[in-house]
Amino acid sequence: MAQSIINTGKVLRQIVIGQLQGISEAQMDIQPEGFHNTIRWNIGHMVYWLDKYATLSCGSPSAVPAHYEALFNSGTKPADWTVTPPSKEELIGMLAAQLTRLSELTPEMLTQKLPSPFEMGPFQFVTAGELFNFALLHEAIHLGVISSQLKLV
């Protein structure tokens, strides 16, 4: 079961990278009416949070630049940015590096209990696998948002 979750994570990330290939740098920053963020923000948010979940669940050191938190954490938005965000190519590089790290996960790693339960609103995750599974759900939601935004840009 855990191996299938890992495989799903790798397929999902490949879909995200494939989706990005057809998006121009200019399209990355268009904020369609009704949306609070852009495609660039959604991609950066996915990178930031998968890194965060990996740090929380496996204890691996963060592999994203420190300024990603101010750009892409929950509650941030491009309208508030005071620094230049990463380029499409940098974000694709980060997505690809994370895909490589997903390939290093083992089913045994996902059965490990977290040092302390991770709480998000009414939800609580106790094992690395539970948190990783939520990370995939989170990523799929943002992939859907990107697909919706692409129809409008």
Short mmCIF file of all heavy atoms in Angstrom, two decimals, residues 3 6 10 14 96-106:
data_model
loop_
_atom_site.label_atom_id
_atom_site.label_comp_id
_atom_site.label_asym_id
_atom_site.label_seq_id
_atom_site.Cartn_x
_atom_site.Cartn_y
_atom_site.Cartn_z
N GLN A 3 3.86 1.62 -1.05
CA GLN A 3 4.56 1.79 -2.33
C GLN A 3 3.63 2.42 -3.35
O GLN A 3 4.07 3.24 -4.16
CB GLN A 3 5.10 0.45 -2.83
CG GLN A 3 5.99 0.59 -4.07
CD GLN A 3 7.22 1.47 -3.82
OE1 GLN A 3 7.96 1.26 -2.88
NE2 GLN A 3 7.42 2.47 -4.67
N ILE A 6 3.61 6.13 -2.83
CA ILE A 6 4.84 6.72 -3.36
C ILE A 6 4.74 6.84 -4.87
O ILE A 6 5.06 7.89 -5.45
CB ILE A 6 6.08 5.89 -2.93
CG1 ILE A 6 6.27 5.98 -1.41
CG2 ILE A 6 7.33 6.37 -3.67
CD1 ILE A 6 7.26 4.97 -0.85
N LYS A 10 4.84 10.22 -7.35
CA LYS A 10 5.75 10.45 -8.49
C LYS A 10 4.96 10.76 -9.76
O LYS A 10 5.33 11.67 -10.51
CB LYS A 10 6.66 9.24 -8.69
CG LYS A 10 7.63 9.07 -7.51
CD LYS A 10 8.73 8.06 -7.75
CE LYS A 10 8.25 6.67 -8.03
NZ LYS A 10 9.32 5.66 -7.95
N GLN A 14 5.02 14.28 -11.91
CA GLN A 14 5.31 14.29 -13.35
C GLN A 14 4.22 15.02 -14.12
O GLN A 14 4.51 15.74 -15.07
CB GLN A 14 5.48 12.85 -13.86
CG GLN A 14 6.76 12.21 -13.37
CD GLN A 14 6.82 10.71 -13.66
OE1 GLN A 14 5.80 10.03 -13.71
NE2 GLN A 14 8.03 10.21 -13.82
N ALA A 96 11.49 19.11 -10.09
CA ALA A 96 12.24 17.93 -10.55
C ALA A 96 13.11 17.36 -9.42
O ALA A 96 13.20 16.14 -9.26
CB ALA A 96 13.08 18.27 -11.77
N ALA A 97 13.74 18.24 -8.66
CA ALA A 97 14.58 17.78 -7.54
C ALA A 97 13.72 17.05 -6.51
O ALA A 97 14.13 16.02 -5.96
CB ALA A 97 15.32 18.96 -6.91
N GLN A 98 12.52 17.58 -6.26
CA GLN A 98 11.63 16.92 -5.32
C GLN A 98 11.16 15.57 -5.87
O GLN A 98 11.01 14.62 -5.11
CB GLN A 98 10.44 17.82 -4.98
CG GLN A 98 10.83 18.98 -4.08
CD GLN A 98 9.67 19.88 -3.74
OE1 GLN A 98 8.69 19.98 -4.49
NE2 GLN A 98 9.76 20.56 -2.61
N LEU A 99 10.94 15.49 -7.18
CA LEU A 99 10.56 14.22 -7.80
C LEU A 99 11.66 13.18 -7.57
O LEU A 99 11.37 12.03 -7.22
CB LEU A 99 10.30 14.41 -9.29
CG LEU A 99 9.97 13.15 -10.09
CD1 LEU A 99 8.74 12.43 -9.55
CD2 LEU A 99 9.79 13.51 -11.57
N THR A 100 12.91 13.59 -7.71
CA THR A 100 14.03 12.68 -7.45
C THR A 100 13.99 12.21 -6.00
O THR A 100 14.18 11.03 -5.71
CB THR A 100 15.37 13.39 -7.75
OG1 THR A 100 15.38 13.75 -9.13
CG2 THR A 100 16.56 12.49 -7.45
N ARG A 101 13.73 13.13 -5.07
CA ARG A 101 13.68 12.75 -3.66
C ARG A 101 12.50 11.81 -3.37
O ARG A 101 12.59 10.95 -2.50
CB ARG A 101 13.65 13.99 -2.75
CG ARG A 101 15.02 14.66 -2.68
CD ARG A 101 15.14 15.67 -1.56
NE ARG A 101 14.26 16.82 -1.69
CZ ARG A 101 14.46 17.85 -2.50
NH1 ARG A 101 15.53 17.89 -3.27
NH2 ARG A 101 13.62 18.85 -2.54
N LEU A 102 11.39 11.98 -4.10
CA LEU A 102 10.26 11.06 -3.93
C LEU A 102 10.68 9.64 -4.27
O LEU A 102 10.20 8.68 -3.66
CB LEU A 102 9.08 11.47 -4.81
CG LEU A 102 8.31 12.72 -4.42
CD1 LEU A 102 7.23 13.03 -5.45
CD2 LEU A 102 7.69 12.57 -3.04
N SER A 103 11.58 9.50 -5.24
CA SER A 103 12.06 8.19 -5.65
C SER A 103 12.90 7.52 -4.56
O SER A 103 13.13 6.32 -4.60
CB SER A 103 12.88 8.29 -6.94
OG SER A 103 12.07 8.81 -7.97
N GLU A 104 13.36 8.30 -3.61
CA GLU A 104 14.18 7.76 -2.52
C GLU A 104 13.34 7.31 -1.33
O GLU A 104 13.86 6.70 -0.39
CB GLU A 104 15.20 8.81 -2.08
CG GLU A 104 16.19 9.17 -3.18
CD GLU A 104 16.96 10.46 -2.92
OE1 GLU A 104 16.78 11.07 -1.84
OE2 GLU A 104 17.73 10.86 -3.81
N LEU A 105 12.04 7.62 -1.34
CA LEU A 105 11.17 7.19 -0.25
C LEU A 105 11.00 5.68 -0.28
O LEU A 105 10.98 5.07 -1.35
CB LEU A 105 9.79 7.84 -0.40
CG LEU A 105 9.62 9.28 0.01
CD1 LEU A 105 8.19 9.74 -0.28
CD2 LEU A 105 9.94 9.49 1.48
N THR A 106 10.86 5.11 0.89
CA THR A 106 10.58 3.68 0.99
C THR A 106 9.28 3.50 1.78
O THR A 106 8.91 4.37 2.59
CB THR A 106 11.71 2.93 1.73
OG1 THR A 106 11.73 3.38 3.10
CG2 THR A 106 13.06 3.15 1.08
#
